[in-house]
Amino acid sequence: ANEIVNAGFRKGECGFLQMADIIEETMAKATFDSNPDLDVYLQTDAEARRIAAELMKSASQYNEGVRDAIYNKVCTLSITNYQ
């Protein structure tokens, strides 16, 4: 999960403060095996990467909505103050 979130942060797909939350939620959702063999380890790694990517995508969509709402509000205030 860390590798996925770190790459996403560097690409601007999630914020710095979201990284820990995404990793924490990934770890909570991923399958845990206290005595994994190599196959289980590889499956769990793939699962964690998939979960982290999904969570990051959701966070990115949320951030875009917030950014658009702020932009629209600023534009509205600018136009209102200009008139």
Side-chain angles (χ1 to χ4, degrees):
N2 184 52
E3 294 86 353
I4 298 299
V5 175
N6 188 292
F9 170 71
R10 288 183 279 121
K11 293 177 187 175
E13 296 172 355
C14 73
F16 179 77
L17 297 176
Q18 292 174 306
M19 293 172 69
D21 294 337
I22 293 170
I23 292 169
E24 181 180 3
E25 191 170 347
T26 298
M27 299 307 291
K29 289 183 174 187
T31 305
F32 175 75
D33 186 330
S34 62
N35 192 21
D37 60 18
L38 180 59
D39 288 335
V40 170
Y41 172 81
L42 295 173
Q43 290 170 2
T44 303
D45 181 63
E47 178 188 21
R49 289 172 184 266
R50 178 187 53 75
I51 292 168
E54 290 171 2
L55 292 171
M56 196 168 47
K57 183 177 179 182
S58 295
S60 178
Q61 290 171 347
Y62 172 79
N63 287 341
E64 288 175 10
V66 169
R67 182 198 65 219
D68 291 347
I70 291 170
Y71 176 79
N72 290 334
K73 185 66 172 178
V74 168
C75 289
T76 301
L77 290 173
S78 297
I79 291 170
T80 302
N81 292 334
Y82 181 73
Q83 296 175 349

